[in-house]
Each structure stands twice: as C-alpha cells, then as structure tokens.
C-alpha cells in the first residue's frame, strides 16, 4: 500500500491518466508494443500512426489551447508515459506541442495564440522548431538567418544567406511539418534588432511538398531516435505576412517602426529562448524515467541469474553498479516534481535560480541516465545486446538528451557562471548572498555520520567552498575564471549537486505526508555517497580527507547491502511502476522465453 502511494507520489500528477495510457498500449499491442527492430522508414511511419491514434482518442483536447496548468500537466503526463514506449514519439509530439506551440504561446500575442494554437491542437498543422543551424548550435547568437521587414508589401523576407545558416536538425521538418517557428535576426530599416521568432509555412500540407522558396532535405539515418524526421531547411527570400512575426516581446508596425517591451537585447534573447526551459524540465523526466526502465530490467534479471554459484544481485560489484541509479532516479524525481509545478505556475518568470537548477539538473540527470543504461546493458551481459531486452536500444534512443535543448557542458557552464559571479560579488562586498550564504559562516569541524543526509549536504557545501577560491582568487574576476574551463565546469557541477541535495533534504523534511520516507532518505544517502565516492573534486577541494574518504566508502558499501536486505530495493523497483509489457523478456522467465519448444 505504502509502495503504491510512493508510485503515485513519484508520478507527481495524473497518476490515473498515466495508467489509462499504459492500459491503452496494452490493449492495442499491434500499434503500441515496444519495437526496437525497425529501420528509419518504418519507425517514422509507426510514429505517425501512434500519434494519429492518440489524437483520434482525444488525448490532446484542451491541452494546447487552454492555459490552465491542469491541462498542460495532462499533456506532460501523456508525453512522459509515451517515453516508456517510444522516445521518438514523445520528442516529435514535444517539438510540435511544446516547442512550436510553446513558442507561439510564450512569444505570441493573444490574437496570434487564438489563431495558431487551435490549429495545432486539432492537428490541422504540424509545427517544428527552427533554431539551430549547421554553423551554430550551442552558440545560438551565431545564427545567420535573417528576417528583413519590407514596408511596401508589409511582409518579412526570410533568408538563409549561406549554407552554414541552413536550419539543421529540425525535428519534424524532413517529412511532415507544415509550419516552423523560425528564429532569425530581425532587420528593420537596415538596423539589426536581435533574434525574434516567426511562424513560417514550409510545406503545403502535412507530409506534402515544400512551399515556394523553401528547400528541405532530410538529415538522414541516425543511430537513435530514428522515428523523428530531422530535417534541414533553406529559405530563399521567402515572404511571410507581417502578422507572422511573434510579437509579444518585439513589434514591427505596418510602416516599419520597431518597438519592444524588453529593455535590452540580452533580456530579449533570454525571454525568446524561454520555451526551451520547459523542454529541459521534460528531459529531466525522460532521464529519470529511463533509469527506472533500465534498472527495472537489469535488477530482476540479476536476481534470477546465478554466476559461479551465487545470485548475481548478491555480488557486491553488481550492487555497486546498479543501485546508485535506482537511488539517483528517486532523488532526481523528488527534486524535479516541484520544479515542474513551479514552471506551470501562472505568471511564472524564469528566475536565475530556476534556470540554474533546471539547466544543471538536465545535464546531471541525462549524464546519469547515460551511465545507468550503459551499466544496465553491461550488467545484463550478452542478453543486454539483444534489442528485445530494450536496454541497449534505449541507450541509443535517449543518448541525444545530453545534446539537444542545451548541450550538457554549456548547461553546466551556465550554472558555473551564476555561482562564480555570485562569489566574485560576495568577495567585493565582503558578504555572500543567496545560495552562497553559508560562506559567511566559519567552517566548523565536520560532524555526524556519512549515512546522514545532513553530513552529505555539508560535504557538498565544503566542496563548493574549497573549489571557488581556486577559480576566483581574491583579486580575480569572473571573466578570468572562464579561462579555466575544466575547473569552471567542476564548480558548476559542485554547485548543482549542492542545490539538488539541499532541495531533496528540504522536500524530505517539509513533507509530512511523504510515503516510504525511510526508503527515500536511504536513496538520498546512497546517491549522495555515490557522488562523493565518484568525484575527485571532493578530495581536491579539501572537503574530504583521506581518512574521511575511506569512511565514506565503507558506509557506502554497507548502505548498498542494507538497501537490498531491507527490501528497499524491491520496493523501489515496484514503485517505479514500469508495466511488465514495457520491460523485457530477461526481467521475467527468460528460460521459458528461450525454450526450444517455442521455436
Ligand atoms: C536528434 C536531434 C534533434 C534536434 N532537434 C532540434 C530541433 O527540433 N530544433 C532545433 O532548433 N535544434 C534541434 N537540435 C539541435 C541541437 O539543439 C544542437 O545539436 C545542440 O544545441 C548542439 O549544437 P551543435 O550540434 O551545433 O553542437 P556544438 O554546439 O557545435 O557542440 C559540439 C561540441 O562542442 C562542445 N561545446 C560547444 N560549445 C562549448 C563551450 N562554450 N564550451 C565547451 N564546450 C562546448 C559541446 O559540448 C559539444 O560536445 C537537435 C539535435 C539533434 C541531434
């Protein structure tokens, strides 16, 4: 009962709805059973049939046109559920509803929202999101596409000046999308006015032909996510009506006068890219949910397999290889749930703190997932190589999450920048503010035991305290710090870890209703100890002495054993709630599955 409550708590919202979607998948296996044996063409076709079926069943009703958080959360629940089955499906729907729809929603006027969003919801059009170019991905400011206002025809002229400026990787563009939210430098009366969004028709109908002036090419076969038709787009002086510029932040009048509600180009840039923040939060859930799938396959297999006369899951290395990921999935889940709700609060402005936590968590969770799935693949031995056992294909399907919607290194650097600036400012003023407030207090001898959350959080603080002076000496500037990029990223990682564990501890202490609190706090301890044991920055920063590091190691190993022997591991896997049909033959009776009689 308690485990069921944990399952519901981890889902965060729309628990019943998620189960209904799983039930649909199970009822219609022809369409919705996992397929990892298809080529690019079949994957794309299957994706479109799956999406059409969900649309036909009314799953998207009111989820795009309504601004109520409840409706948007329902769509997120659907998308998260689809990810257990088909990452491409979730990504393609996410690009259409979340990025294209999100661009119109976040950057469009009320009139523009009323015009475009019902078309998206009714699936009369399919949208894609055109930001990246061949020559500029992470460096968004380096894009070269232009949108020049022509007052005589009251239109914008979209143009791709060079091959480097072709839009590249655009999900949905290669075959199906009719419209694209194109990001381009606005030029009015010869003056550049920063990057703005424009709705541009690129195809005459869904899966139809490119419209005049638009050239589209297919990015081609990828080693994962092949259901998504990523495409390349060139604009050859394509004219679009003035009203297709998304005009919430900046406006161009009929006679060519530019006005804006934002104060600076920096602010314009940040707010223009805001829809990506929601995308990043979704990616955190992709990461933690796939860790749930991976461990829900690898752990039952290890429990049912004998090696050298022992149950595989009783072997210390196996516990050490798999359990930290069960625990990190739980911790990240607990921290990410309130983040998602915060994002949907009416009038929510993306604060610096929110940005750091979402960007940092996106990077750390997707790297964690990548390691987890690779470890699960190896932990299943040869069976891990079979596509039907899912873990390997999931690794290639989800690998891209470390790159898109903000490359992980670039994301971590954004966190680094915030903490380094905060620190440099504190040095100047003689007092540290915000999340660095703890630096104002003298460091006391480390108290408590390594299996206590407070001990772990304190070590995380000490690491930040120890690393910052190495990067920003008293006389240094934050600009100089960026020259030592490896250390710069280590500081960002240390800061993100601290925010994650502080949020986790806060959530644990503040919620009286928390189900399986003991299990969650043990998960926090194990994930924390795994970070401390794995990262050399704890010793380099002086946070951890050699003696203390041995004590951490011994406690870590003991806690892993306790997690198994107390039954917490089994409860966690049960609470993950991955339905059997979305696991793999090796997580069940794999001997019967492979019986000669079945040939
Ligand atoms: C499958 C897929 C789908 C996508 N879908 C879309 C889409 O629908 N719409 C869209 O607009 N874009 C999309 N993208 C593009 C995606 O957002 C970019 O690939 C991403 O932003 C990275 O840009 P890049 O590929 O140019 O790599 P680059 O930015 O060139 O990065 C290459 C390497 O350099 C490193 N690097 C870059 N900058 C720095 C730095 N400052 N410091 C240290 N290291 C650095 C990175 O870590 C990376 O390892 C998609 C990409 C893929 C692969």
């Amino acid at each position: 009962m308690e485990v069921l409550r944990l399952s519901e708590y981890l889902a965060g919202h729309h628990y019943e709805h998620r189960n209904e979607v799983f039930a649909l998948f199970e009822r219609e296996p022809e369409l919705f059973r996992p397929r990892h044996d298809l080529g690019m063409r079949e994957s794309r076709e299957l994706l479109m049939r799956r999406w059409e079926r969900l649309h036909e069943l009314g799953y998207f009703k009111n989820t795009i046109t309504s601004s109520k958080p409840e409706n948007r959360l329902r769509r997120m629940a659907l998308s998260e559920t689809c990810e257990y089955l088909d990452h491409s499906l979730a990504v393609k729907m996410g690009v259409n509803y979340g990025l294209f729809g999100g661009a119109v929603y976040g950057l469009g006027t009320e009139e523009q929202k009323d015009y475009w969003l019902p078309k998206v919801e009714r699936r009369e059009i399919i949208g894609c999101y055109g930001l990246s170019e061949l020559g500029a991905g992470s460096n968004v400011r380096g894009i070269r596409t232009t949108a020049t206002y022509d007052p005589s025809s009251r239109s914008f002229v979209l143009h791709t000046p060079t091959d480097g400026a072709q839009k590249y990787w655009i999900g949905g563009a290669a075959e199906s999308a009719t419209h694209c939210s194109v990001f381009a430098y606005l030029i009015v009366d010869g003056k550049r006015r920063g990057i703005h969004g424009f709705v541009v028709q690129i195809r005459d109908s869904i899966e139809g032909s490119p419209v005049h002036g638009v050239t589209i090419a297919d990015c081609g076969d990828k080693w994962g996510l092949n259901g998504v038709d990523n495409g390349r787009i060139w604009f050859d002086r394509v004219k679009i009506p003035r009203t297709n510029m998304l005009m919430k932040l900046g406006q161009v009048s009929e006679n060519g006068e530019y006005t804006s509600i934002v104060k600076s180009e920096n602010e314009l840039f940040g707010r223009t890219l805001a829809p990506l923040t929601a995308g990043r939060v979704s990616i955190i859930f992709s990461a933690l949910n796939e860790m749930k799938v991976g461990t829900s396959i690898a752990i039952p297999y290890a429990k049912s397999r004998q090696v050298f006369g022992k149950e595989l899951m009783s072997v210390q290395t196996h516990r050490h290889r798999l359990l930290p990921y069960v625990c990190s999935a739980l911790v990240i889940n607990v921290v990410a749930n309130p983040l998602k709700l915060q994002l949907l609060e009416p009038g929510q402005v993306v604060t610096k703190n929110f940005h750091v936590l979402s960007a940092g968590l996106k990077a750390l969770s997707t790297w964690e997932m990548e390691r987890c799935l690779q470890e699960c693949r190896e932990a299943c031995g040869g069976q891990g190589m079979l596509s039907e056992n899912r873990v390997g294909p999931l690794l290639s399907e989800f690998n891209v999450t470390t790159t898109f919607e903000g490359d992980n290194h670039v994301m971590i650097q954004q966190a680094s920048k915030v903490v380094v600036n905060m620190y440099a400012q504190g040095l100047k003023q003689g007092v540290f503010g915000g999340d660095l407030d703890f630096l104002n207090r003298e460091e006391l001898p480390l108290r408590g035991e390594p299996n206590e959350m407070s001990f772990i959080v304190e070590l995380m603080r000490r690491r930040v305290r120890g690393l910052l002076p190495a990067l920003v000496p008293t006389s240094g500037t934050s600009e100089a710090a960026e020259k030592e990029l490896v250390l710069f990223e280590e500081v960002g990682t240390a800061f993100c870890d601290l925010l994650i564990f502080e949020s986790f501890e806060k959530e644990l202490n503040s919620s009286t209703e928390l189900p399986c609190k003991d299990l969650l706090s043990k998960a926090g301890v194990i994930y924390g100890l795994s970070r401390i044991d794995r990262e050399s920055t704890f010793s380099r920063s002086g946070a951890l002495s050699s003696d203390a590091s041995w004590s951490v190691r011994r406690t870590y190993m003991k806690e892993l054993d306790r997690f198994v022997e107390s039954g917490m591991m089994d409860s966690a896997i049960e609470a993950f709630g991955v339905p059997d049909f979305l696991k793999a033959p090796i997580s069940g009776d794999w001997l019967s599955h492979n019986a000669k009689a079945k040939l």
Side-chain angles (χ1 to χ4, degrees):
M1 194 62 197
E2 184 77 348
V3 173
L4 200 67
R5 284 214 308 127
L6 178 60
S7 200
E8 199 169 342
Y9 168 80
L10 294 175
H13 57 94
H14 292 96
Y15 183 64
E16 289 304 321
H17 184 61
R18 290 166 200 258
N19 285 335
E20 273 168 32
V21 178
F22 282 141
L24 163 74
F25 292 170
E26 212 172 356
R27 246 188 351 262
E28 300 190 11
E30 272 306 300
L31 196 54
F32 290 115
R33 81 191 143 90
R35 296 295 301 265
H36 298 299
D37 56 338
L38 304 176
M40 182 179 87
R41 173 110 323 277
E42 298 100 310
S43 300
R44 289 180 181 180
E45 281 166 13
L46 179 62
L47 182 153
M48 289 302 270
R49 285 196 285 123
R50 285 174 168 170
W51 187 5
E52 275 154 24
R53 179 72 180 134
L54 294 173
H55 178 74
E56 180 185 284
L57 291 170
Y59 277 103
F60 301 100
K61 200 157 176 243
N62 291 331
T63 63
I64 318 301
T65 46
S66 159
S67 57
K68 282 192 188 146
E70 144 69 25
N71 291 322
R72 293 175 67 195
L73 282 170
R74 183 154 50 84
R75 180 168 54 78
M76 285 174 146
L78 172 68
S79 169
E80 286 167 27
T81 312
C82 287
E83 271 177 335
Y84 284 83
L85 171 78
D86 179 352
H87 189 213
S88 293
L89 174 65
V91 167
K92 186 148 167 169
M93 296 190 313
V95 169
N96 175 58
Y97 301 118
L99 290 180
F100 176 80
V104 173
Y105 186 80
L107 307 176
T109 60
E110 290 307 313
E111 208 180 348
Q112 289 175 318
K113 287 192 235 177
D114 289 345
Y115 181 77
W116 292 108
L117 295 181
K119 293 182 195 301
V120 176
E121 189 170 288
R122 292 196 296 261
R123 216 164 170 273
E124 289 164 14
I125 62 173
I126 289 182
C128 58
Y129 186 79
L131 177 64
S132 307
E133 296 179 357
L134 177 60
S138 304
N139 176 23
V140 174
R141 283 190 163 95
I143 64 168
R144 293 277 176 272
T145 304
T146 51
T148 309
Y149 187 61
D150 171 18
S152 65
S153 59
R154 291 175 186 165
S155 57
F156 289 100
V157 181
L158 269 285
H159 189 59
T160 306
T162 63
D163 267 340
Q166 66 185 275
K167 292 292 175 189
Y168 208 100
W169 287 123
I170 311 308
E175 290 187 352
S176 53
T178 54
H179 290 72
C180 182
S181 52
V182 176
F183 291 85
Y185 275 100
L186 170 66
I187 301 173
V188 185
D189 199 17
K191 275 203 192 113
R192 284 167 82 88
R193 297 294 193 172
I195 296 175
H196 288 73
F198 301 83
V199 177
V200 184
Q201 180 160 7
I202 57 169
R203 211 175 245 106
D204 56 10
S205 59
I206 294 174
E207 296 181 333
S209 306
V211 297
H212 181 69
V214 173
T215 304
I216 297 178
D218 201 318
C219 289
D221 193 68
K222 306 184 287 291
W223 61 274
L225 209 73
N226 259 321
V228 179
D229 51 318
N230 290 98
R232 306 152 58 190
I233 315 175
W234 290 258
F235 301 100
D236 185 7
R237 296 184 174 79
V238 174
K239 274 196 171 180
I240 58 164
R242 184 187 67 90
T243 47
N244 280 27
M245 171 179 164
L246 294 169
M247 293 220 203
K248 180 173 163 186
L249 303 177
Q251 306 81 31
V252 176
S253 68
E254 283 186 358
N255 58 3
E257 211 179 309
Y258 176 79
T259 48
S260 172
I261 60 163
V262 291
K263 289 184 218 86
S264 66
E265 201 172 315
N266 265 351
E267 188 188 340
L268 173 71
F269 182 72
R271 289 182 64 177
T272 301
L273 299 189
L276 290 174
T277 305
R280 262 169 225 148
V281 173
S282 304
I283 289 176
I284 299 168
F285 285 90
S286 306
L288 68 94
N289 286 333
E290 289 325 298
M291 289 199 275
K292 290 178 186 172
V293 178
T295 52
S296 296
I297 292 170
I299 289 178
Y301 179 59
K303 283 180 67 178
S304 65
R305 188 157 183 86
Q306 297 286 310
V307 287
F308 301 97
K310 280 189 223 136
E311 180 200 302
L312 184 51
M313 205 55 223
S314 72
V315 175
Q316 189 188 40
T317 46
H318 225 68
R319 291 179 176 183
H320 178 243
R321 287 165 68 184
L322 294 176
L323 294 184
Y325 300 112
V326 173
C327 297
S328 54
L330 287 166
V331 171
I332 295 168
N333 205 155
V334 169
V335 175
N337 274 355
L339 201 66
K340 189 203 287 178
L341 297 182
Q342 209 182 322
L343 181 74
L344 294 179
E345 273 168 19
Q348 159 73 18
V349 182
V350 176
T351 60
K352 213 172 248 184
N353 243 5
F354 187 93
H355 178 71
V356 171
L357 192 54
S358 59
L361 204 50
K362 185 265 178 191
L364 296 187
S365 64
T366 53
W367 272 326
E368 185 76 0
M369 175 209 61
E370 200 184 30
R371 280 192 292 263
C372 167
L373 291 178
Q374 178 64 32
E375 200 58 85
C376 289
R377 207 295 291 148
E378 292 177 35
C380 295
Q383 289 293 329
M385 286 304 293
L386 286 177
S387 297
E388 66 173 10
N389 288 328
R390 300 203 74 203
V391 183
L394 290 179
L395 180 61
S396 53
E397 281 293 299
F398 283 84
N399 203 285
V400 68
T401 55
T402 60
T403 298
F404 66 14
E405 303 206 26
D407 171 87
N408 279 4
H409 284 273
V410 177
M411 292 294 96
I412 287 292
Q413 284 179 28
Q414 295 191 3
S416 312
K417 201 173 205 140
V418 169
V419 65
V420 164
N421 280 338
M422 229 194 284
Y423 182 68
Q425 207 177 354
L427 284 179
K428 218 185 281 170
Q429 293 171 347
V431 58
F432 298 95
D435 292 305
L436 292 184
D437 175 53
F438 66 93
L439 294 180
N440 297 315
R441 295 186 291 275
E442 203 187 323
E443 195 175 81
L444 299 171
L446 193 57
R447 277 208 297 267
E449 296 298 324
N451 63 354
E452 291 167 10
M453 208 54 222
S454 54
F455 180 95
I456 287 166
V457 172
E458 180 53 30
L459 271 187
M460 301 271 173
R461 288 201 185 107
R462 281 168 190 242
R463 178 171 58 152
V464 172
R465 189 193 281 268
L467 288 177
L468 276 167
L471 191 60
V472 192
T474 325
S475 58
T477 61
S478 51
E479 288 76 25
E482 290 182 45
K483 295 209 170 100
E484 279 290 337
L485 262 195
V486 174
L487 182 56
F488 190 64
E489 288 191 15
E490 282 176 344
V491 166
T493 303
F495 184 55
C496 290
D497 266 337
L498 174 61
L499 293 186
I500 290 167
F501 281 90
E502 278 181 344
S503 303
F504 179 74
E505 193 185 31
K506 195 168 133 211
E507 204 57 34
L508 220 59
N509 293 339
S510 64
S511 180
T512 47
E513 297 284 287
L514 214 58
C516 299
K517 208 165 179 166
D518 288 350
L519 190 163
L520 288 175
S521 58
K522 274 291 170 238
V525 166
I526 291 175
Y527 178 41
L529 293 175
S530 78
R531 293 294 289 161
I532 296 165
D533 196 59
R534 200 196 285 165
E535 299 271 324
S536 65
T537 41
F538 282 95
S539 56
R540 213 157 1 95
S541 62
L544 200 63
S545 66
S546 168
D547 279 354
S549 74
W550 279 112
S551 161
V552 161
R553 167 60 67 84
R554 280 190 294 272
T555 308
Y556 180 24
M557 294 303 124
K558 269 191 213 144
E559 290 299 330
L560 290 175
D561 287 341
R562 277 190 202 135
F563 200 68
V564 179
E565 280 141 25
S566 63
M568 285 184 181
M569 175 186 80
D570 291 335
S571 299
I573 297 291
E574 196 185 332
F576 286 169
V578 181
D580 284 345
F581 74 96
L582 291 172
K583 292 183 189 160
I586 45 166
S587 51
D589 182 356
W590 43 270
L591 258 178
S592 305
H593 176 76
N594 286 290
K596 190 175 171 193
K598 278 204 162 175
L599 291 178

